Amino acid sequence: SSAEKWIPVSEELPKEKGEYLVSYHPCHWNTVSEKVVVGIDTFRGKTTWAKMKYQKVIAWMPLPEPYKGE
């Protein structure tokens, strides 16, 4: 498969519900942090991310395959 690239939410959202690797600004109360961190969030469909209260998702990509061992 081609190398995964970050997809800005401003350009495109996932087509399917599920978990994705996300780049996001952490949120605390009504404050959105300047820093960008990587984590996992669940896309609920339409435009909704599950952890919207805690993180402002700016980009996403599919999760890599889990490690299978040797």
Side-chain angles (χ1 to χ4, degrees):
S1 69
S2 63
E4 300 292 356
K5 289 193 173 67
W6 288 108
I7 301 164
V9 295
S10 57
E11 289 176 19
E12 191 183 340
L13 284 165
K15 290 180 177 46
E16 295 172 18
K17 295 178 184 178
E19 289 195 322
Y20 292 89
L21 198 60
V22 294
S23 282
Y24 67 93
H25 293 288
C27 303
H28 186 68
W29 299 106
N30 293 324
T31 311
V32 178
S33 172
E34 287 296 308
K35 74 178 178 181
V36 176
V37 290
V38 171
I40 292 173
D41 202 348
T42 301
F43 187 67
R44 290 185 169 162
K46 295 201 165 84
T47 61
T48 311
W49 294 93
K51 299 178 185 169
M52 232 154 69
K53 204 156 81 175
Y54 308 106
Q55 52 199 50
K56 179 177 188 283
V57 175
I58 56 171
W60 60 277
M61 69 165 77
L63 286 174
E65 288 296 311
Y67 177 68
K68 298 280 198 298
E70 294 304 314

